[in-house]
């Protein structure tokens, strides 16, 4: 939600108004050359007059799932927007659509990561993920409990940063064996902890 040059009172008065239903497909821009001449907008006439609005153009904001909002251009005089004006407005709307799509995808990714981390953190097993170079990408709470290393101190580092050289070397050899095999392997690893090996 953003605006320029509109009072908060006006914005509140038109919030929720849209010529399109949420999710509507194939919505097209709508132009109103004179807002005082359109009966369906009669209830907004006073607000238009107070705000100095005489004409407007509405551009739908939409994703694959359909309309999710609108962009409105306001004019202080009666006005029929040209094709060029509408084309520019639609280009701006396309950028808003793209930014919204990226933001929604990012939020979905974050929710997915949070769910995964919650599942991993409630496991009694040590769970971690490393990249092919051996850098930790993710660890669970059990890893932190056993090795007394906070997850944010682990990510991006290798076993050589936390374990004795011989232990880290053995871990790396096991990682390489898994990478070489290209399939799941069961390998028993040993590491010294507070209560022994």
């Amino acid at each position: 939600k953003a605006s320029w040059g509109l009072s908060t009172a006006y914005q509140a008065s038109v919030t929720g108004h849209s010529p399109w239903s949420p999710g509507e497909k194939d919505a097209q821009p709508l132009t109103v050359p004179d807002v005082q001449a359109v009966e369906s907008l009669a209830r907004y006439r006073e607000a238009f007059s107070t705000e100095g609005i005489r004409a407007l153009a509405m551009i739908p904001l939409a994703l694959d799932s359909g309309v999710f909002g609108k962009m409105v251009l306001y004019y202080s005089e009666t006005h029929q927007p040209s094709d060029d004006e509408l084309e520019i407005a639609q280009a701006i709307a396309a950028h808003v659509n793209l930014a919204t799509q990226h933001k929604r995808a990012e939020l979905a990714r974050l929710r997915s990561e949070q769910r995964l981390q919650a599942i991993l953190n409630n496991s009694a097993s040590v769970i971690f993920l490393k990249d092919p170079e051996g850098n930790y990408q993710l660890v669970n709470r059990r890893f932190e409990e056993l090795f007394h290393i906070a997850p944010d101190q682990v990510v991006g580092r290798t076993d050589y940063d936390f374990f004795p050289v011989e232990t880290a070397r053995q871990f790396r050899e096991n990682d390489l064996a898994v990478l070489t095999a290209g399939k799941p392997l069961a390998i028993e690893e040993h590491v010294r902890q507070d209560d022994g090996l």
Side-chain angles (χ1 to χ4, degrees), residues 157-166 168-170 172-173:
R157 299 172 77 185
T158 71
D159 291 316
Y160 289 95
D161 295 311
F162 311 109
F163 301 107
V165 173
E166 196 50 48
R169 185 178 297 123
Q170 185 59 59
R172 185 62 183 150
E173 287 175 12

Side-chain angles (χ1 to χ4, degrees), residues 53-79:
I53 295 169
R54 192 59 194 263
L56 59 82
M58 293 187 206
I59 313 299
L61 298 175
L63 300 173
D64 290 340
S65 57
V67 171
F68 68 87
K70 68 179 186 278
M71 183 176 83
V72 185
L73 305 176
Y74 294 104
Y75 303 89
S76 59
E77 303 291 334
T78 56
H79 180 72

Side-chain angles (χ1 to χ4, degrees), residues 28-172:
Q28 298 300 312
L30 174 69
T31 61
V32 181
D34 184 353
V35 296
Q36 298 298 329
V38 179
E39 271 313 305
S40 63
L41 296 176
R43 66 181 175 177
Y44 301 108
R45 282 184 183 150
E46 186 178 330
F48 289 146
S49 180
T50 302
E51 208 69 18
I53 295 169
R54 192 59 194 263
L56 59 82
M58 293 187 206
I59 313 299
L61 298 175
L63 300 173
D64 290 340
S65 57
V67 171
F68 68 87
K70 68 179 186 278
M71 183 176 83
V72 185
L73 305 176
Y74 294 104
Y75 303 89
S76 59
E77 303 291 334
T78 56
H79 180 72
Q80 175 62 52
S82 68
D83 290 343
D84 287 346
E85 284 177 89
L86 291 176
E87 189 176 320
I88 291 169
Q90 287 177 296
I92 293 169
H95 284 284
V96 173
N97 294 341
L98 188 60
T100 301
Q101 188 172 3
H102 284 292
K103 186 66 174 175
R104 286 184 176 183
E106 176 67 12
L107 290 172
R109 184 189 64 77
L110 287 174
R111 282 193 298 271
S112 179
E113 285 181 6
Q114 289 168 345
R115 282 193 296 266
L116 173 63
Q117 192 67 50
I119 292 167
L120 297 178
N121 283 342
N122 287 291
S123 171
S125 301
V126 173
I127 301 174
F128 55 86
L129 175 68
K130 296 179 191 175
D131 67 17
E133 287 72 43
N135 298 297
Y136 282 95
Q137 301 297 301
L138 173 146
V139 297
N140 71 341
R141 188 175 293 135
R142 187 68 178 139
F143 184 102
E144 179 181 7
E145 292 167 355
L146 290 177
F147 303 120
H148 310 295
I149 308 166
D152 62 342
Q153 295 174 336
V154 177
V155 174
R157 299 172 77 185
T158 71
D159 291 316
Y160 289 95
D161 295 311
F162 311 109
F163 301 107
V165 173
E166 196 50 48
T167 302
R169 185 178 297 123
Q170 185 59 59
F171 287 173
R172 185 62 183 150

